[in-house]
Amino acid sequence: MIFKGRSTEAARILLAVAWSTEDMRQMFERYPEVMGADVTSQTNKENRPLFILAGKTADNETFTALAAFLPRQSRWVFDWLFRVAVPLLLPQDALDRVRLLMTDGDEKEYNPFVQVAEEFYPQAMHGLCVWHIINRGWKDNGITASGPEKDGPGPLILKAAKNWPFSWSRDVETDEEFNFSFRFFLAWMDKPEITSALTHAKVAKIKKFIIVSMLPLRGKWVRNAARNHCRCFGVRTTNHVEAENSVLKCHSLGTKPCHPLQKSVKVQLQLGASRFQTKRVNAASALTKTPTGRCIPGVHDTLTAYGAKLAVSEFDARTFYKVIKIS
């Protein structure tokens, strides 16, 4: 646990506190490849923001690697976190293996990481949560069905227009595929039946948001060649961090807005210890568990349950492809 404070003639002021337990560090050493950073509220009586650095395991489970109470969400605070707190609390050999850090769209939060990444996180890429980008953009630009649009095909068209950019973060694998899909999207938006259902003004809003707000950050949210060749578990959002935040605040043993700062830290440590003990018990029982359901022959004794499930789903998906032999 490390503290950042300030001394005056009258008193000593605690600015920030960050901590990582032995269990948290061990889990981070095992699965450092994909991390997510986020800030949540309503966890303490002083209304301090709580910073969470969370990871994801090969079994699709989440864990917290580091937590910190902050004085405010300012750029210098996140610079202290990524430059000082994280390198001091987490082992550098594991930080060297971080491949992807996901955040939301707050530049004050992710720009300090980008600036120190080469020094402390040499292999890490920065990614933006596509859910935050698109949903916030839709909301901020007022892109919703209104008036006569609600009775016609407008809502369905808007849903398709919103889901299309999501597919760029999930389905495309090359720049050529993205460029083709993007041109096809613009052509689809310009069709007379689309503009008549949504009005020219709304179509212009959608196109402007994607071209002006999304495309400049394309490398941070589009599935690209760099992500295809690194172990990032297909992560496109910060939902694994949101899951950790939800457990912390919604669990019966979790922290509450009325808790003093010291009690909130204590509650988080106790809850974390309980969750890690549960993970150890589940891991031990998985070693002797008999595989259930379908499984591909020859892999049930070498893959985890989650890995076997993924293998089966990929095997089943083969029926959607047609193999043509070119002679």
Side-chain angles (χ1 to χ4, degrees), residues 65-269:
L66 180 144
F69 276 122
L70 312 177
R72 60 175 64 90
Q73 297 185 56
S74 300
R75 184 187 179 94
W76 70 267
V77 176
F78 292 108
D79 183 75
W80 171 77
L81 275 170
F82 290 117
R83 188 186 298 272
V84 178
V86 175
L88 280 178
L89 290 173
L90 298 178
Q92 186 59 50
D93 61 335
L95 292 176
D96 291 341
R97 292 185 285 130
V98 175
R99 303 302 301 273
L100 179 65
L101 178 80
M102 296 293 297
T103 68
D104 59 20
D106 188 352
E107 294 185 6
K108 300 191 302 293
E109 180 179 346
Y110 70 75
N111 274 338
F113 169 79
V114 173
Q115 291 183 350
V116 302
E118 185 176 353
E119 181 179 359
F120 297 106
Y121 319 92
Q123 294 195 75
M125 297 181 291
H126 171 245
L128 288 175
C129 174
V130 68
W131 187 92
H132 281 91
I133 294 175
I134 296 177
N135 281 280
R136 285 181 179 176
W138 243 244
K139 182 179 179 180
D140 294 344
N141 289 278
I143 305 175
T144 57
S146 58
E149 298 173 0
K150 294 182 179 180
D151 301 326
L156 291 177
I157 293 175
L158 281 177
K159 184 178 180 180
K162 188 176 183 179
N163 288 336
W164 201 316
F166 273 110
S167 72
W168 296 334
S169 70
R170 179 186 63 243
D171 300 326
V172 301
E173 298 183 359
T174 64
D175 290 338
E176 290 76 13
E177 290 181 359
F178 171 79
N179 292 331
F180 176 82
S181 180
F182 178 65
R183 290 195 301 268
F184 194 69
F185 173 78
L186 295 181
W188 177 72
M189 291 295 295
D190 288 334
K191 286 187 174 183
E193 56 267 30
I194 302 298
T195 54
S196 62
L198 296 183
T199 73
H200 288 278
K202 191 152 294 181
V203 169
K205 276 186 179 181
I206 296 174
K207 292 168 64 176
K208 181 180 179 181
F209 164 67
I210 291 181
I211 295 173
V212 175
S213 300
M214 293 189 69
L215 283 190
L217 300 171
R218 169 183 165 186
K220 294 183 178 293
W221 58 268
V222 169
R223 180 181 175 186
N224 52 30
R227 288 201 198 180
N228 287 339
H229 299 288
C230 79
R231 191 186 189 194
C232 62
F233 305 130
V235 171
R236 301 177 293 119
T237 66
T238 56
N239 60 353
H240 59 297
V241 194
E242 302 289 349
E244 289 294 293
N245 291 339
S246 179
V247 169
L248 182 63
K249 295 191 289 186
C250 299
H251 197 282
S252 60
L253 302 178
T255 184
K256 302 293 186 291
C258 61
H259 284 167
L261 200 65
Q262 185 175 359
K263 183 174 181 180
S264 182
V265 174
K266 183 178 179 180
V267 166
Q268 291 181 55
L269 292 175

